[in-house]
Amino acid sequence: MLGSVAGRLQACYPSPSNLNEEEMMVGMKTANTMQNLQHPTAVSPFLTQFPNNNSRIVAFTTPQNYAGRLSQLLQLKGWKPLWCPTVVVETTSQTTASIQKYLSNPNNDDDEQKPPLEDFSAIAFTSRTGISAFSEALADVKKPQLAPSGETFTISALGKDSECLDDAFISRICNNPERIRVLVPPVATPTGLVESLGLGRGRRVLCPVPLVIGLEEPPVVPNFLRDLAAKGWVPVRVNGYETRWAGPECAEGVVRKSEEEGLGLGLDAIVFTSTGEVEGLLKSLREFGLDWGTVRKRCPRLVVAAHGPVTASGAESLGVAVDVVSSMFDSFGGVVDALAFRWQSLEC
C-alpha cells in the first residue's frame, strides 16, 4: 500500500510528465494576468475572415477563482483574453456553517463524542470550489474529523481538482492517511464520479455543492444526487458555497465587442465552462435589449467553445449552439486545445 496521499494520487492521476507543456506552465502565474483580462490590446481593423493567432480575441465567462488559469492558457496560445464573468462563486458565513454542521465542534474537547463525519463513508466533490469551501470550514476545527482506525473513507474529486486533496488537506480529515482513499474518476464528470464510487449499499456520502442564487439551478447537481441514490448511496447535500448571477451589466464586454465587429475588433470565440455562465450571459444580454441570436448575427465568425459535454448540453438547452466541445475536460487545457484545432482546420 502506498504510504502517502501524493503516492495514491499519482497512481490514479497522470504524472506531470504526461501533461502537455501548457498545462505545466499554468502554475507559473504572471503578476499582470488578472490586470490585463478586461483590456486586450487593440487589434488591426484589417482582419481577414480567419485572422492570425495574435489577433484573436477570446471572451470567457468563468468566475474569478478560475479566471487566472484559463486566461493564462489563452495567452500561451497568443490570443487576447477578454474576461466577462457572468457568475460569482464564493463562500459565505451561512455556507461555512452548513459544512461545519458535519464537522466536530471546535469548542468541544470531549474526545469520547463521535465526530459527525464518522457517519459517512465518502465525500464527493464536484468542483474545486467545493474543496476550497470545505477546507475553509476545516480551518476552525483543531482536530482530525476521523479516528485513525475504521473503515476506508473515500474522498473523490474531478480531474485537476484532485490536486487540492493534498497531504495537508487529508491530515485535517484523518491523521492516518492509510484510512483515506483518494478517488479520481477517469472521466472527469459527475456521472464518471458516480460510476467510480460504485455501489453504495446504503452508505452515506457528503456532497458539498453550490447554492444557486438569481439563476435557475442547472440539472447537473440534482442529476448527480439522483444517480448516487440509484447506485444505493444515501447522498447528503450540503450547500458549501454560493453561485450567483454577476448582475445586469456582466455581458457588457461581449456586447461592446459585438458592436465593434464591423471594425475588425469583434470576438473570435467565447468559452463557457458551466451552464450557469451561459444563463448568466443570456440574462444580462436581455438587460441590454439583446438576445443570443443578435450576437451571433453581429459576429458571424464567432466560435462557441464548451468545457466538456455537460457544459455543452446545458448551453444548447438554453438555445446556445456549441461549435467546439473539449474531449479532454479534466483541465481547461482541453477546451483551449480544441479551439486551436478548430481554427487550424479552418485555415488548412
Side-chain angles (χ1 to χ4, degrees), residues 307-329:
H307 177 54
V310 174
T311 299
S313 176
E316 295 194 344
S317 72
L318 293 170
V320 176
V322 174
D323 304 302
V324 173
V325 184
S326 57
S327 58
M328 300 294 292
F329 40 89

Side-chain angles (χ1 to χ4, degrees), residues 126 207-225 237-241 243 274-277 279 314 317-318:
T126 57
C207 305
V209 295
L211 173 64
V212 181
I213 298 174
L215 299 168
E216 291 292 327
E217 181 177 43
V220 177
V221 169
N223 289 348
F224 173 62
L225 300 175
R237 175 175 184 155
V238 54
N239 294 324
Y241 56 97
T243 296
S274 73
T275 303
E277 294 170 28
E279 185 187 353
S317 72
L318 293 170

Side-chain angles (χ1 to χ4, degrees), residues 261-281:
E261 177 68 21
L263 301 175
L265 301 175
L267 290 176
D268 296 285
I270 187 167
V271 177
F272 297 114
T273 65
S274 73
T275 303
E277 294 170 28
V278 182
E279 185 187 353
L281 179 71

Side-chain angles (χ1 to χ4, degrees), residues 80-140:
K80 296 178 175 64
L82 176 67
W83 184 40
C84 301
T86 59
V87 294
V88 176
V89 175
E90 63 184 3
T91 59
T92 66
S93 58
Q94 289 80 11
T95 59
T96 299
S98 295
I99 295 175
Q100 289 178 335
K101 173 183 175 182
Y102 298 98
L103 304 178
S104 299
N105 187 336
N107 299 317
N108 189 347
D109 295 326
D110 183 5
D111 292 333
E112 299 300 321
Q113 184 175 349
K114 181 181 178 181
L117 207 57
E118 289 283 8
D119 291 329
F120 292 83
S121 296
I123 304 174
F125 291 111
T126 57
S127 71
R128 182 178 292 253
T129 308
I131 301 174
S132 298
F134 202 90
S135 182
E136 183 179 326
L138 280 170
D140 293 331

